Amino acid sequence: MRVLFVFVMLSMSTWAVSSEKKAISQPPFAIAIHGGAGTILKENLSPRLERAYHKKMTEALKAGYEVLVMGGSSVDAVQTTIVILEDSPLFNAGKGSVFTHEKTNELDASIMEGKHLNAGAISGVSNVKNPIKLAHAVMTQSKHVMLSGGGAEVFAEKNGLDIVDSGYFYTERRWNQLMRVLKDNSKSSRLSEDKDDQFSGLKSWPDDDKFGTVGAVALDQAGNLAAGTSTGGMTNKKFGRIGDSPVIGAGTYADNNACAVSATGHGEYFIRASVAHDICARVLYKNISLQQAADEVIKDKLVKMKGEGGVVALDPKGNPVFSFNSVGMYRGYIDKDGNVYTGIFKEPLKTEEK
Ligand code: ASP
Protein backbone atom coordinates (compact mmCIF):
# COMPACT_ATOMS: atom_id res chain seq x y z
CA MET A 1 0.00 0.00 0.00
CA ARG A 2 2.77 2.38 1.02
CA VAL A 3 4.68 1.53 -2.16
CA LEU A 4 1.57 2.34 -4.21
CA PHE A 5 1.13 5.66 -2.41
CA VAL A 6 4.76 6.62 -3.09
CA PHE A 7 4.33 5.61 -6.74
CA VAL A 8 1.17 7.75 -7.13
CA MET A 9 2.86 10.74 -5.47
CA LEU A 10 5.88 10.37 -7.75
CA SER A 11 3.73 10.18 -10.86
CA MET A 12 1.79 13.26 -9.79
CA SER A 13 4.96 15.21 -9.23
CA THR A 14 6.11 14.31 -12.74
CA TRP A 15 2.81 15.63 -14.10
CA ALA A 16 3.26 18.84 -12.22
CA VAL A 17 6.44 19.56 -14.10
CA SER A 18 6.50 23.10 -15.49
CA SER A 19 5.33 23.41 -19.06
CA GLU A 20 8.44 25.43 -19.81
CA LYS A 21 10.84 22.50 -19.25
CA LYS A 22 10.14 18.85 -19.95
CA ALA A 23 11.38 16.35 -17.38
CA ILE A 24 14.30 14.36 -18.75
CA SER A 25 12.55 11.07 -18.00
CA GLN A 26 9.49 11.92 -20.13
CA PRO A 27 9.18 10.31 -23.54
CA PRO A 28 9.54 12.79 -26.39
CA PHE A 29 6.56 14.87 -27.41
CA ALA A 30 6.27 17.74 -29.82
CA ILE A 31 4.00 20.25 -31.52
CA ALA A 32 4.33 22.42 -34.61
CA ILE A 33 1.94 24.68 -36.51
CA HIS A 34 1.36 26.72 -39.61
CA GLY A 35 -0.93 29.70 -40.09
CA GLY A 36 -0.99 29.77 -43.88
CA ALA A 37 1.46 30.31 -46.69
CA GLY A 38 1.59 32.85 -49.50
CA THR A 39 3.17 36.07 -50.67
CA ILE A 40 3.66 37.37 -47.18
CA LEU A 41 6.03 40.31 -47.55
CA LYS A 42 7.63 42.12 -44.65
CA GLU A 43 6.84 45.47 -46.25
CA ASN A 44 3.11 44.60 -46.27
CA LEU A 45 3.03 43.65 -42.60
CA SER A 46 3.20 46.41 -39.99
CA PRO A 47 5.48 45.68 -37.01
CA ARG A 48 2.37 45.65 -34.83
CA LEU A 49 0.65 43.03 -36.97
CA GLU A 50 3.83 41.01 -37.19
CA ARG A 51 4.09 40.97 -33.41
CA ALA A 52 0.41 40.00 -33.15
CA TYR A 53 1.03 36.95 -35.38
CA HIS A 54 4.04 35.83 -33.34
CA LYS A 55 2.08 36.29 -30.13
CA LYS A 56 -0.97 34.34 -31.27
CA MET A 57 1.11 31.50 -32.70
CA THR A 58 3.06 31.33 -29.43
CA GLU A 59 -0.16 31.21 -27.41
CA ALA A 60 -1.55 28.42 -29.60
CA LEU A 61 1.67 26.38 -29.47
CA LYS A 62 1.91 26.70 -25.69
CA ALA A 63 -1.69 25.59 -25.21
CA GLY A 64 -1.12 22.45 -27.29
CA TYR A 65 2.20 21.81 -25.59
CA GLU A 66 0.52 22.02 -22.19
CA VAL A 67 -1.89 19.24 -23.23
CA LEU A 68 1.09 17.08 -24.18
CA VAL A 69 3.05 17.84 -20.98
CA MET A 70 0.04 16.66 -19.00
CA GLY A 71 0.04 13.36 -20.87
CA GLY A 72 -2.87 14.30 -23.17
CA SER A 73 -3.27 12.87 -26.65
CA SER A 74 -1.80 14.39 -29.81
CA VAL A 75 -5.34 14.67 -31.19
CA ASP A 76 -6.38 16.81 -28.21
CA ALA A 77 -3.23 18.91 -28.52
CA VAL A 78 -3.93 19.53 -32.22
CA GLN A 79 -7.53 20.49 -31.50
CA THR A 80 -6.64 22.79 -28.57
CA THR A 81 -4.04 24.57 -30.69
CA ILE A 82 -6.25 24.97 -33.73
CA VAL A 83 -9.21 26.28 -31.70
CA ILE A 84 -7.04 29.22 -30.56
CA LEU A 85 -6.07 29.99 -34.16
CA GLU A 86 -9.68 29.61 -35.33
CA ASP A 87 -10.86 32.05 -32.66
CA SER A 88 -8.31 34.64 -33.78
CA PRO A 89 -9.36 37.01 -36.61
CA LEU A 90 -5.75 36.99 -37.83
CA PHE A 91 -6.12 33.69 -39.66
CA ASN A 92 -8.32 32.38 -42.44
CA ALA A 93 -10.08 29.80 -40.25
CA GLY A 94 -13.08 30.15 -37.93
CA LYS A 95 -13.41 33.87 -37.07
CA GLY A 96 -11.69 35.77 -39.88
CA SER A 97 -12.41 33.26 -42.62
CA VAL A 98 -12.41 34.49 -46.19
CA PHE A 99 -15.66 35.20 -48.07
CA THR A 100 -17.12 33.19 -50.92
CA HIS A 101 -18.32 34.76 -54.17
CA GLU A 102 -21.82 34.80 -52.64
CA LYS A 103 -20.48 36.82 -49.65
CA THR A 104 -20.87 33.91 -47.24
CA ASN A 105 -18.32 31.90 -45.26
CA GLU A 106 -17.96 28.17 -45.91
CA LEU A 107 -15.53 26.45 -43.61
CA ASP A 108 -13.57 23.20 -44.05
CA ALA A 109 -11.52 21.19 -41.53
CA SER A 110 -10.04 17.77 -40.90
CA ILE A 111 -8.18 15.82 -38.24
CA MET A 112 -6.37 12.46 -38.29
CA GLU A 113 -4.59 10.26 -35.79
CA GLY A 114 -1.62 8.11 -36.73
CA LYS A 115 -2.12 4.99 -34.61
CA HIS A 116 -5.26 3.52 -36.19
CA LEU A 117 -5.46 5.97 -39.12
CA ASN A 118 -8.81 7.30 -37.87
CA ALA A 119 -9.90 10.56 -39.41
CA GLY A 120 -12.75 13.08 -39.46
CA ALA A 121 -13.47 15.89 -41.88
CA ILE A 122 -16.13 18.48 -42.64
CA SER A 123 -16.66 20.84 -45.52
CA GLY A 124 -18.81 23.83 -46.38
CA VAL A 125 -20.21 24.63 -42.93
CA SER A 126 -21.42 28.16 -42.26
CA ASN A 127 -22.50 28.26 -38.63
CA VAL A 128 -20.07 26.13 -36.62
CA LYS A 129 -17.76 28.24 -34.46
CA ASN A 130 -14.90 25.74 -34.38
CA PRO A 131 -14.83 23.49 -37.44
CA ILE A 132 -11.88 21.49 -36.06
CA LYS A 133 -14.08 20.36 -33.14
CA LEU A 134 -16.67 19.22 -35.64
CA ALA A 135 -14.07 17.26 -37.62
CA HIS A 136 -12.99 15.68 -34.32
CA ALA A 137 -16.61 14.78 -33.50
CA VAL A 138 -17.02 13.19 -36.94
CA MET A 139 -13.94 11.06 -36.21
CA THR A 140 -15.03 9.99 -32.75
CA GLN A 141 -18.86 10.16 -32.78
CA SER A 142 -19.82 8.97 -36.25
CA LYS A 143 -19.21 6.03 -38.55
CA HIS A 144 -18.17 8.40 -41.31
CA VAL A 145 -15.03 10.25 -42.28
CA MET A 146 -16.42 13.28 -44.09
CA LEU A 147 -19.64 15.26 -43.65
CA SER A 148 -20.61 18.31 -45.66
CA GLY A 149 -22.89 21.36 -45.63
CA GLY A 150 -26.30 21.17 -43.95
CA GLY A 151 -25.82 17.58 -42.78
CA ALA A 152 -22.59 18.46 -41.05
CA GLU A 153 -24.31 21.41 -39.36
CA VAL A 154 -27.11 19.18 -38.04
CA PHE A 155 -24.47 16.77 -36.75
CA ALA A 156 -22.70 19.70 -35.03
CA GLU A 157 -25.90 20.72 -33.24
CA LYS A 158 -26.62 17.14 -32.21
CA ASN A 159 -23.14 16.91 -30.72
CA GLY A 160 -23.57 20.11 -28.73
CA LEU A 161 -21.00 22.19 -30.60
CA ASP A 162 -21.16 26.00 -30.50
CA ILE A 163 -23.40 27.34 -33.28
CA VAL A 164 -22.98 30.98 -34.33
CA ASP A 165 -24.79 33.25 -36.74
CA SER A 166 -23.14 34.08 -40.04
CA GLY A 167 -22.02 37.54 -38.84
CA TYR A 168 -19.63 35.91 -36.37
CA PHE A 169 -17.06 35.13 -39.07
CA TYR A 170 -17.01 38.68 -40.51
CA THR A 171 -13.83 40.73 -40.46
CA GLU A 172 -13.33 43.94 -42.39
CA ARG A 173 -10.02 42.73 -43.78
CA ARG A 174 -11.53 39.63 -45.40
CA TRP A 175 -14.56 41.55 -46.62
CA ASN A 176 -12.34 44.15 -48.30
CA GLN A 177 -10.30 41.35 -49.80
CA LEU A 178 -13.42 39.95 -51.49
CA MET A 179 -14.48 43.41 -52.66
CA ARG A 180 -11.06 43.93 -54.22
CA VAL A 181 -11.20 40.61 -56.04
CA LEU A 182 -14.74 41.19 -57.31
CA LYS A 183 -13.74 44.63 -58.59
CA ASP A 184 -10.64 43.26 -60.32
CA ASN A 185 -12.68 40.44 -61.84
CA SER A 186 -15.33 42.74 -63.22
CA LYS A 187 -12.58 44.86 -64.80
CA SER A 188 -10.91 41.86 -66.39
CA SER A 189 -14.18 40.28 -67.54
CA ARG A 190 -14.92 43.48 -69.42
CA LEU A 191 -11.59 43.06 -71.18
CA SER A 192 -11.82 39.37 -72.00
CA GLU A 193 -14.65 36.92 -72.12
CA ASP A 194 -14.85 34.66 -69.12
CA LYS A 195 -14.07 31.34 -70.75
CA ASP A 196 -13.81 29.14 -67.70
CA ASP A 197 -15.92 30.72 -65.02
CA GLN A 198 -15.04 28.27 -62.28
CA PHE A 199 -11.37 29.13 -62.49
CA SER A 200 -11.57 32.80 -63.39
CA GLY A 201 -11.41 33.72 -59.71
CA LEU A 202 -8.31 31.64 -59.18
CA LYS A 203 -6.32 33.62 -61.72
CA SER A 204 -7.12 36.96 -60.21
CA TRP A 205 -6.73 36.35 -56.48
CA PRO A 206 -4.54 39.10 -55.10
CA ASP A 207 -0.98 38.04 -54.57
CA ASP A 208 -0.85 39.13 -50.98
CA ASP A 209 -3.10 37.76 -48.30
CA LYS A 210 -4.03 34.72 -50.36
CA PHE A 211 -3.92 32.05 -47.73
CA GLY A 212 -4.11 31.88 -43.93
CA THR A 213 -5.36 28.40 -43.28
CA VAL A 214 -4.23 26.97 -39.95
CA GLY A 215 -2.81 23.57 -39.12
CA ALA A 216 -1.08 21.67 -36.35
CA VAL A 217 0.83 18.43 -35.98
CA ALA A 218 1.66 16.79 -32.66
CA LEU A 219 3.38 13.77 -31.11
CA ASP A 220 2.19 12.68 -27.66
CA GLN A 221 3.97 10.80 -24.89
CA ALA A 222 2.36 7.54 -26.01
CA GLY A 223 4.18 7.95 -29.33
CA ASN A 224 1.06 8.78 -31.36
CA LEU A 225 1.11 11.36 -34.12
CA ALA A 226 -1.85 13.54 -35.15
CA ALA A 227 -2.50 16.27 -37.69
CA GLY A 228 -5.30 18.78 -38.21
CA THR A 229 -6.14 21.59 -40.60
CA SER A 230 -8.87 24.26 -40.63
CA THR A 231 -9.71 26.90 -43.23
CA GLY A 232 -12.19 29.30 -44.72
CA GLY A 233 -10.88 28.18 -48.11
CA MET A 234 -10.04 30.69 -50.80
CA THR A 235 -11.51 34.15 -51.35
CA ASN A 236 -14.24 34.34 -53.98
CA LYS A 237 -14.68 30.56 -54.15
CA LYS A 238 -17.85 29.52 -55.97
CA PHE A 239 -20.29 26.65 -56.45
CA GLY A 240 -19.57 24.96 -53.11
CA ARG A 241 -15.87 24.68 -53.95
CA ILE A 242 -13.92 22.52 -51.49
CA GLY A 243 -10.16 22.73 -51.16
CA ASP A 244 -7.55 20.32 -49.88
CA SER A 245 -7.86 21.13 -46.16
CA PRO A 246 -10.70 18.67 -45.42
CA VAL A 247 -9.39 16.05 -47.84
CA ILE A 248 -7.53 13.33 -45.96
CA GLY A 249 -4.32 12.64 -47.84
CA ALA A 250 -4.26 16.07 -49.48
CA GLY A 251 -4.37 18.69 -46.68
CA THR A 252 -4.00 16.40 -43.67
CA TYR A 253 -2.41 13.02 -42.97
CA ALA A 254 -0.96 11.16 -39.98
CA ASP A 255 0.64 7.73 -39.75
CA ASN A 256 2.75 6.70 -36.75
CA ASN A 257 5.07 4.79 -39.09
CA ALA A 258 5.88 7.79 -41.23
CA CYS A 259 4.80 11.29 -40.28
CA ALA A 260 2.04 13.79 -39.56
CA VAL A 261 1.41 16.55 -42.11
CA SER A 262 -0.81 19.61 -42.35
CA ALA A 263 -0.79 21.64 -45.56
CA THR A 264 -1.64 25.13 -46.69
CA GLY A 265 -1.75 26.53 -50.18
CA HIS A 266 -3.64 26.45 -53.42
CA GLY A 267 -5.98 23.57 -52.69
CA GLU A 268 -6.69 22.50 -56.25
CA TYR A 269 -3.01 21.60 -56.70
CA PHE A 270 -2.69 20.03 -53.25
CA ILE A 271 -5.60 17.70 -53.99
CA ARG A 272 -4.20 16.68 -57.36
CA ALA A 273 -0.76 16.05 -55.84
CA SER A 274 -2.13 14.21 -52.74
CA VAL A 275 0.43 16.29 -50.88
CA ALA A 276 0.11 15.12 -47.27
CA HIS A 277 -0.11 11.42 -48.08
CA ASP A 278 2.58 11.60 -50.73
CA ILE A 279 5.04 13.03 -48.20
CA CYS A 280 4.32 10.20 -45.75
CA ALA A 281 4.47 7.60 -48.55
CA ARG A 282 7.90 8.84 -49.66
CA VAL A 283 9.17 8.51 -46.08
CA LEU A 284 7.82 4.95 -45.87
CA TYR A 285 8.71 3.59 -49.27
CA LYS A 286 11.83 5.54 -50.20
CA ASN A 287 13.25 5.46 -46.71
CA ILE A 288 14.29 9.11 -46.93
CA SER A 289 14.15 11.80 -44.25
CA LEU A 290 10.91 13.69 -43.70
CA GLN A 291 12.59 16.96 -44.72
CA GLN A 292 13.69 15.43 -48.02
CA ALA A 293 10.24 13.94 -48.65
CA ALA A 294 8.50 17.26 -47.90
CA ASP A 295 10.93 19.20 -50.10
CA GLU A 296 10.51 16.74 -52.98
CA VAL A 297 6.75 17.25 -52.94
CA ILE A 298 6.59 20.98 -52.15
CA LYS A 299 9.68 22.32 -53.91
CA ASP A 300 9.78 19.99 -56.89
CA LYS A 301 6.53 18.17 -57.69
CA LEU A 302 4.25 21.09 -56.78
CA VAL A 303 6.49 23.71 -58.33
CA LYS A 304 6.40 21.80 -61.63
CA MET A 305 2.59 21.81 -61.39
CA LYS A 306 2.71 25.55 -60.47
CA GLY A 307 1.05 24.91 -57.11
CA GLU A 308 1.93 27.35 -54.34
CA GLY A 309 2.04 26.64 -50.59
CA GLY A 310 3.71 24.59 -47.90
CA VAL A 311 3.44 22.10 -45.07
CA VAL A 312 4.32 21.59 -41.46
CA ALA A 313 5.18 18.01 -40.48
CA LEU A 314 6.53 15.90 -37.63
CA ASP A 315 8.46 12.65 -37.80
CA PRO A 316 7.75 9.80 -35.34
CA LYS A 317 10.49 11.13 -33.04
CA GLY A 318 8.89 14.56 -32.94
CA ASN A 319 11.34 16.43 -35.18
CA PRO A 320 9.53 19.32 -36.87
CA VAL A 321 9.83 19.92 -40.58
CA PHE A 322 8.68 22.95 -42.58
CA SER A 323 8.72 23.20 -46.34
CA PHE A 324 7.17 25.91 -48.54
CA ASN A 325 7.59 27.22 -52.04
CA SER A 326 5.85 30.54 -51.35
CA VAL A 327 7.49 33.73 -50.14
CA GLY A 328 6.43 33.14 -46.55
CA MET A 329 4.55 30.83 -44.24
CA TYR A 330 3.32 31.58 -40.72
CA ARG A 331 4.79 28.77 -38.67
CA GLY A 332 6.27 27.67 -35.36
CA TYR A 333 7.16 24.86 -32.99
CA ILE A 334 8.28 24.16 -29.44
CA ASP A 335 11.61 22.38 -29.02
CA LYS A 336 12.44 19.58 -26.59
CA ASP A 337 13.41 22.08 -23.89
CA GLY A 338 10.15 23.95 -24.15
CA ASN A 339 11.50 26.92 -26.15
CA VAL A 340 9.01 28.46 -28.57
CA TYR A 341 10.08 29.34 -32.12
CA THR A 342 7.90 31.21 -34.61
CA GLY A 343 8.50 32.68 -38.05
CA ILE A 344 6.78 34.23 -41.04
CA PHE A 345 9.32 34.92 -43.76
CA LYS A 346 12.15 32.81 -45.21
CA GLU A 347 14.53 33.66 -42.34
CA PRO A 348 15.16 31.08 -39.59
CA LEU A 349 12.51 30.99 -36.88
CA LYS A 350 12.83 33.41 -33.97
CA THR A 351 12.65 32.40 -30.36
CA GLU A 352 10.09 34.07 -28.14
CA GLU A 353 10.92 37.53 -26.73
CA LYS A 354 11.14 37.11 -22.94
N1 ASP B 1 -5.60 25.14 -48.81
C1 ASP B 1 -6.69 26.04 -48.62
C2 ASP B 1 -7.71 25.81 -49.70
O1 ASP B 1 -7.35 25.63 -50.85
C3 ASP B 1 -6.29 27.48 -48.63
C4 ASP B 1 -5.13 27.83 -47.75
O2 ASP B 1 -4.31 27.00 -47.41
O3 ASP B 1 -5.04 29.01 -47.37
O4 ASP B 1 -8.88 25.87 -49.42
Side-chain angles (χ1 to χ4, degrees):
M1 197 60 195
R2 186 179 290 170
V3 175
L4 182 67
F5 176 73
V6 172
F7 174 72
V8 170
M9 291 309 286
L10 275 174
S11 323
M12 281 174 67
S13 64
T14 312
W15 273 38
V17 126
S18 139
S19 63
E20 294 299 311
K21 298 273 175 234
K22 268 195 281 178
I24 291 153
S25 58
Q26 275 174 308
F29 55 90
I31 184 146
I33 58 168
H34 71 73
T39 312
I40 311 159
L41 295 169
K42 207 172 173 74
E43 53 268 32
N44 294 343
L45 213 57
S46 71
R48 211 167 127 242
L49 199 54
E50 197 180 326
R51 272 198 306 279
Y53 274 108
H54 283 290
K55 205 168 153 221
K56 193 46 81 175
M57 288 194 287
T58 300
E59 180 193 336
L61 279 164
K62 283 185 172 174
Y65 189 80
E66 194 64 41
V67 171
L68 298 168
V69 172
M70 300 301 287
S73 74
S74 50
V75 167
D76 286 345
V78 162
Q79 175 173 302
T80 301
T81 302
I82 290 183
V83 163
I84 290 174
L85 300 171
E86 284 179 340
D87 289 347
S88 163
L90 290 173
F91 302 94
N92 170 21
K95 171 92 187 159
S97 285
V98 298
F99 284 89
T100 66
H101 185 72
E102 290 76 27
K103 305 184 177 70
T104 59
N105 304 100
E106 292 176 4
L107 282 48
D108 305 332
S110 64
I111 196 160
M112 181 165 187
E113 56 87 11
K115 186 176 181 188
H116 305 288
L117 308 186
N118 281 323
I122 56 97
S123 65
V125 299
S126 297
N127 66 0
V128 178
K129 182 168 180 261
N130 293 110
I132 195 69
K133 287 191 183 173
L134 183 52
H136 190 186
V138 172
M139 177 168 85
T140 54
Q141 309 300 324
S142 85
K143 289 185 196 146
H144 308 298
V145 170
M146 194 174 199
L147 302 182
S148 68
E153 290 171 353
V154 170
F155 182 77
E157 270 183 62
K158 285 202 162 152
N159 280 275
L161 297 185
D162 286 345
I163 303 298
V164 289
D165 60 47
S166 55
Y168 168 79
F169 299 108
Y170 175 91
T171 56
E172 201 183 337
R173 170 192 180 193
R174 297 302 185 189
W175 180 256
N176 291 342
Q177 198 177 334
L178 176 68
M179 293 301 121
R180 233 169 28 230
V181 176
L182 291 178
K183 206 166 136 205
D184 289 353
N185 277 2
S186 73
K187 258 194 244 154
S188 58
S189 68
R190 263 184 272 129
L191 293 173
S192 66
E193 218 182 88
D194 199 358
K195 290 193 189 105
D196 182 351
D197 193 42
Q198 179 168 8
F199 292 102
S200 63
L202 299 182
K203 288 178 206 145
S204 49
W205 272 319
D207 261 353
D208 64 327
D209 228 7
K210 244 191 224 167
F211 307 125
T213 291
V214 304
V217 286
L219 171 73
D220 61 28
Q221 295 190 44
N224 293 318
L225 287 166
T229 311
S230 180
T231 190
M234 294 185 78
T235 301
N236 196 33
K237 62 184 182 180
K238 298 175 187 172
F239 311 125
R241 177 264 188 194
I242 295 165
D244 61 311
S245 307
V247 177
I248 297 300
T252 301
Y253 202 74
D255 178 350
N256 282 0
N257 298 311
C259 61
V261 181
S262 170
T264 172
H266 199 148
E268 279 67 12
Y269 295 89
F270 279 62
I271 293 174
R272 288 164 52 211
S274 300
V275 166
H277 181 263
D278 193 7
I279 292 172
C280 291
R282 283 171 198 247
V283 169
L284 266 183
Y285 307 137
K286 289 178 83 179
N287 207 14
I288 53 176
S289 73
L290 178 55
Q291 186 71 61
Q292 194 184 333
D295 288 345
E296 281 182 9
V297 174
I298 299 297
K299 296 186 175 171
D300 186 37
K301 182 180 179 181
L302 264 185
V303 168
K304 285 180 184 144
M305 295 169 73
K306 298 196 181 352
E308 185 187 357
V311 291
V312 56
L314 274 185
D315 72 15
K317 290 192 177 134
N319 298 307
V321 157
F322 302 95
S323 183
F324 53 100
N325 63 28
S326 45
V327 176
M329 182 166 87
Y330 299 100
R331 62 201 187 281
Y333 73 100
I334 300 193
D335 75 8
K336 60 180 176 14
D337 299 317
N339 300 308
V340 185
Y341 292 85
T342 53
I344 300 174
F345 313 107
K346 284 252 150 84
E347 296 102 76
L349 305 189
K350 289 198 294 201
T351 192
E352 188 186 5
E353 284 169 28
K354 300 270 170 179

